[in-house]
Amino acid sequence: MAKNSPSGTRAANRKTDADSTSPVQRPAALAGYRETVESICVAIILALLFRSFVAEAFIIPTGSMAPTLMGAHKDLSCEECDYNFRVGASVENKGSSTRVVAGRCPNCRKRNVLRLADEANHATFNGDRILVSKFAYAIQDPQRWDVIVFKYPGNPKQNYIKRLVGLPNETLRIWHGDVYTRTSEDEPFRIMRKPDRKVMPLAHLVYNSSYLAEDLLAANYPSRLQPWDRGAEVPPEDSWQIQRDALGLTATVTAGDTPRWLRYFHNLPSDEQRRLIAEGVSMQSVDPYRSEAITDFYAYDSYVPQPLINNQHSPWESSGLHWVGDLTFETALQTSADASEAILEIVEAGIRYRCTIDLASGQATLAILGEQAEAFESGAETLTAATEIRAGQARQIRFSNVDSQLRLWVDDDVIAFEQPAYYDPSSFQAAHNDRPHYTKDHPLDAAPVGVAVRGGEAVLRDFRLYRDQYYIAAKSNQKMHDYPWGVEASAIMGLLDEPSQWDEAALWERRRAIAFELGEDQFFPMGDNSPESKDARSWGNDRLPPVPDEDAYKFARYHHVPRDLLVGKALLVFWPHHWNRPIPFTPNFKRMKLIR
C-alpha cells in the first residue's frame, strides 16, 4: 500500500530509530480502517436481510387496534381517580387544525380537559413502535386471534395491522359482538372461543376499586360495590361493610350460615351530577342500587376535538351503544379460618353463571342457574376442579364468562376442570333471550357480578371488572352499530340506561348479524377498536382510484386478505412513546410488552 504513496516511499528510505517502524504501522492502520468499514457494511447488509426476511419495525399510525396498540394519542392520568388511560389523537393528522383537548376516564368516567399549554406530557404522542416477525408464517399457518401485519388489498404499498378472526374456507358470522364460523352450509355456526392467554389481552376495563375518584368520595356518591340480599331495596346493614379512602375500597363481612352477597352495580355519575359536585352538592341521596347496562365504551374513542369542548355531549364521547354481557372480574379475597364457602357469580342475559369454592377442601364447582339448573355442552350440570384455596388464606381470584365458556384463575394460574366449561345458551331449557334482564327481586344484568362468603369472616380488596371485546356487526356503508337504519344513538343509550325498560323493548330483536364467505388462502382481519377500525368488514365499499394491478383492485372489493399479502406476526411493543417530564425522552418501560 505504501509504495503507491510518495510520502510513504520517502519514509521507507529513512533509517532513523524514530520512524524505522512506520512502513509497517501505516499499512496496519489502513487495514484496521478497512476492517471497520467492512464490518459496518456487513452489519448494514445483515440488517437489511434481517429486515427483509426475519423481522421489521413498524410504527402504529392510527387507533384501530386500541387499546392493544396505540396510534397517535394523548396519555392521561385522570384528575380525579388517577387511573392512567389514553385517548386518540389521529384526528390531528387529517390535515385540519383540530386539536384533541379532552378525553373521558374509563374507570370513573370523568371528562378530563388537557392542559396543553403547561403540561408537556399532554402533548400528542406518536403511535407504538412494534417489532413484526416476517418469518413466523413461513413455518406455520396464521392462527386465529393473532395480531397480523399485511398489505392492504386496495393499495399493496400500504401496511395494515389488525387481529385475525376469520380463516380460509369458512363462513364467518358476527352476531351480538361475538365471532361464529362454519365450514359447510350443512352445519350450524359455532362460537369461536379465545384461548386462555387471550382473554385478558382482549379485555377492557370497566372498574378498578383501587382508583377511586376524589370528587365522588367527597360528595358521598354511592360505591359501585354494594351489600345485597334478594328482594332488598336498600343495602342490608348486617352484611358487607364498605370502606373507601385514598388507598381504594375495602369490603369486610362476618357471615353466618347464609351467604352474604356483595354485588357490582354499574352506577355511573352523569356530567350534570359532576357539575353539581363541583358546586359542592352532596350525592348521598343517589340510589345505591341504581345501575345501567355495561357497554362497549372505549376510552380511546372519547377524544374531544377543540370546537366541541363546551358541548355537554359530543359524538366522540359515546358511552357505548352495545350491551356487553361477557365479563371477567378479579379480586384479592382473604378469609378467616372458620369460613366455609366462597361464591363467585356472573350474570349474562338473566342466567347466573356460578363458581362455588369449598374452603375446607378447595374444590371449585361450576354451575349454570336459570329458572332451573342448566347443562354444559357435555351434558353435565356441574363441573369440578381442585384448587389450593383454603380458609384462612389470601388469594387472587379471577372468574370469567367469555365466549360461552367459564374459566377460573387462582394467583394467575388457570384452573383445569374435568373438561372445558363450554356451554350453548340456545340449548337451555329455560326461555333465553340474548339481552339484559332485570327484575325488582334480583337486578340480574343490572348487577351482573357478585361475590359471597358463608360461615366466617372475609376481606375483599383490589376488585377489577373487565368486559370482553365486542365486534360490531356493520359493513360497507352501514352505521357503526348493530341496529338498523333510523335508530338514533340517543334512543339506544336511553334504553341501556333504564333497566326497567329492558324486558319490554323490541330493539334487542332488531340487532343485525353479518356474514362473510372466505375461500382458499383468504383471511379476515378486524381491529380491536371495533367502532373506529377500517377493516375487512368495510372494504367492500371502498372507492379506489384505478391501479395498474387489477387483482389488487379486485381484492379491495372483497372482505379478505389473500395469503400473499400477509407480512408477518406482531411480536412486541419495543418502544412506546417516551415521557417529556420530569426528564425529556424518559423511556416508557411500563408499556413495553409482548403483543397478545
Side-chain angles (χ1 to χ4, degrees):
M1 291 172 59
K3 66 181 180 180
N4 295 324
S5 170
S7 61
T9 302
R10 287 193 296 270
N13 291 332
R14 293 204 272 280
K15 302 298 183 183
T16 63
D17 292 339
D19 58 8
S20 62
T21 60
S22 60
V24 177
Q25 289 178 341
R26 185 61 179 268
L30 290 176
Y33 296 149
R34 178 179 177 180
E35 289 178 359
T36 300
V37 172
E38 288 177 346
S39 298
I40 293 173
C41 290
V42 169
I44 292 173
I45 292 170
L46 290 175
L48 291 174
L49 289 172
F50 185 84
R51 179 182 182 275
S52 298
F53 299 105
V54 181
E56 184 176 356
F58 291 85
I59 299 177
I60 307 299
T62 67
S64 67
M65 280 295 293
T68 305
L69 300 172
M70 294 293 137
H73 63 282
K74 312 279 189 178
D75 201 320
L76 311 177
S77 289
C78 179
E79 61 192 51
E80 293 297 345
C81 73
D82 204 35
Y83 184 79
N84 179 239
F85 67 101
R86 284 148 290 281
V87 297
S90 299
V91 67
E92 297 182 354
N93 299 328
K94 296 180 180 179
S96 69
S97 59
T98 301
R99 289 292 177 267
V100 171
V101 294
R104 195 172 292 275
C105 173
N107 183 48
C108 74
R109 301 298 175 91
K110 169 70 175 180
R111 180 198 265 198
N112 284 248
V113 177
L114 282 75
R115 300 180 296 276
L116 300 178
D118 59 3
E119 177 50 70
N121 285 334
H122 282 184
T124 296
F125 295 112
N126 290 328
D128 291 338
R129 289 169 172 82
I130 68 169
L131 191 66
V132 174
S133 169
K134 305 177 77 171
F135 188 65
Y137 298 142
I139 59 177
Q140 67 175 15
D141 283 338
Q143 302 295 305
R144 197 186 316 274
W145 311 118
D146 282 355
V147 177
I148 62 172
V149 174
F150 55 91
K151 302 292 184 182
Y152 172 46
N155 178 10
K157 295 182 180 180
Q158 186 175 6
N159 292 313
Y160 271 30
I161 183 166
K162 309 288 180 188
R163 192 175 296 276
L164 178 59
V165 297
L167 300 176
N169 300 315
E170 66 185 20
T171 300
L172 179 141
R173 186 175 190 241
I174 303 170
W175 184 65
H176 295 185
D178 291 322
V179 175
Y180 298 78
T181 68
R182 67 183 183 189
T183 56
S184 168
E185 292 185 359
D186 297 331
E187 63 182 34
F189 281 100
R190 295 181 300 109
I191 191 169
M192 293 295 99
R193 297 181 170 99
K194 303 174 189 68
D196 296 339
R197 69 182 185 279
K198 296 286 186 177
V199 171
M200 294 310 295
L202 278 164
H204 300 252
L205 181 81
V206 176
Y207 176 64
N208 187 328
S209 72
S210 296
Y211 294 84
L212 300 180
E214 292 182 0
D215 62 338
L216 301 184
L217 287 176
N220 289 317
Y221 195 91
S223 168
R224 291 195 227 173
L225 289 172
Q226 292 288 343
W228 172 86
D229 281 337
R230 181 178 286 273
E233 296 183 358
V234 296
E237 295 182 357
D238 59 345
S239 185
W240 291 83
Q241 303 299 308
I242 307 296
Q243 177 182 341
R244 297 181 293 167
D245 53 34
L247 299 178
L249 180 146
T250 301
T252 59
V253 69
T254 300
D257 293 336
T258 302
R260 290 300 189 184
W261 283 96
L262 182 72
R263 302 202 75 89
Y264 173 83
F265 292 80
H266 199 48
N267 189 353
L268 303 178
S270 66
D271 284 346
E272 175 60 18
Q273 287 173 319
R274 258 347 208 295
R275 185 187 66 80
L276 293 173
I277 289 172
E279 296 176 357
V281 177
S282 172
M283 293 288 119
Q284 193 167 4
S285 62
V286 174
D287 182 1
Y289 285 173
R290 181 202 166 273
S291 192
E292 56 196 71
I294 294 175
T295 68
D296 60 334
F297 170 81
Y298 292 81
Y300 192 91
D301 299 344
S302 70
Y303 54 88
V304 182
Q306 193 164 14
L308 296 172
I309 186 59
N310 293 322
N311 290 6
Q312 284 295 323
H313 299 285
S314 82
W316 286 267
E317 287 187 284
S318 170
S319 60
L321 297 178
H322 305 92
W323 163 67
V324 182
D326 282 12
L327 303 175
T328 299
F329 75 93
E330 56 189 4
T331 189
L333 184 65
Q334 181 173 359
T335 58
S336 62
D338 58 339
S340 59
E341 190 175 70
I343 306 172
L344 315 174
E345 185 175 88
I346 296 176
V347 179
E348 181 177 15
I351 305 296
R352 290 168 289 139
Y353 299 91
R354 183 174 289 186
C355 176
T356 302
I357 302 170
D358 185 322
L359 296 178
S361 66
Q363 178 173 283
T365 302
L366 299 178
I368 303 173
L369 306 175
E371 295 179 3
Q372 58 191 21
E374 303 290 353
F376 291 91
E377 280 190 359
S378 63
E381 290 189 355
T382 61
L383 296 174
T384 61
T387 78
E388 295 183 356
I389 302 175
R390 297 292 189 276
Q393 297 179 345
R395 293 286 186 174
Q396 187 74 23
I397 303 173
R398 181 189 304 148
F399 186 46
S400 173
N401 175 29
V402 169
D403 300 332
S404 297
Q405 179 181 358
L406 304 184
R407 297 176 174 93
L408 176 68
W409 290 259
V410 178
D411 297 334
D412 284 331
D413 293 327
V414 66
I415 301 300
F417 285 82
E418 304 162 273
Q419 51 197 298
Y422 301 151
Y423 65 88
D424 178 6
S426 66
S427 69
F428 292 169
Q429 298 178 34
H432 177 265
N433 295 307
D434 190 22
R435 59 168 178 79
H437 290 241
Y438 171 82
T439 67
K440 289 185 177 181
D441 184 57
H442 194 305
L444 298 173
D445 292 279
V449 166
V451 177
V453 172
R454 184 168 65 86
E457 298 178 357
V459 180
L460 179 145
R461 296 185 179 91
D462 300 328
F463 177 90
R464 293 181 291 276
L465 174 62
Y466 303 87
R467 57 98 174 167
D468 186 30
Q469 172 68 30
Y470 189 100
Y471 292 110
I472 297 173
K475 61 181 178 180
S476 300
N477 61 345
Q478 293 174 334
K479 290 186 177 181
M480 194 51 71
H481 56 62
D482 283 359
Y483 304 94
W485 286 103
V487 178
E488 297 296 330
S490 58
I492 301 170
M493 294 170 66
L495 174 61
L496 293 169
D497 289 350
E498 292 295 337
S500 62
Q501 298 180 15
W502 292 347
D503 291 337
E504 304 299 328
L507 192 58
W508 309 116
E509 284 70 34
R510 301 179 65 189
R511 291 172 293 173
R512 60 173 166 248
I514 55 175
F516 303 90
E517 301 280 346
L518 297 172
E520 189 73 24
D521 290 330
Q522 295 178 356
F523 299 87
F524 191 94
M526 287 194 290
D528 287 357
N529 186 353
S530 195
E532 292 204 1
S533 175
K534 181 181 173 62
D535 54 39
R537 295 169 299 171
S538 60
W539 293 343
N541 198 43
D542 282 353
R543 296 181 180 180
L544 300 172
V547 293
D549 186 347
E550 292 184 2
D551 285 337
Y553 188 73
K554 177 181 67 176
F555 286 143
R557 296 300 190 251
Y558 295 166
H559 298 278
H560 69 263
V561 175
R563 185 183 291 271
D564 59 3
L565 292 187
L566 295 177
V567 173
K569 178 180 179 180
L571 296 179
L572 60 92
V573 177
F574 70 88
W575 190 256
H577 76 78
H578 59 265
W579 291 111
N580 295 321
R581 286 184 179 175
I583 302 173
F585 303 108
T586 301
N588 190 356
F589 293 112
K590 185 178 179 180
R591 290 204 57 253
M592 295 179 183
K593 62 179 181 179
L594 295 175
I595 298 172
R596 299 296 187 186

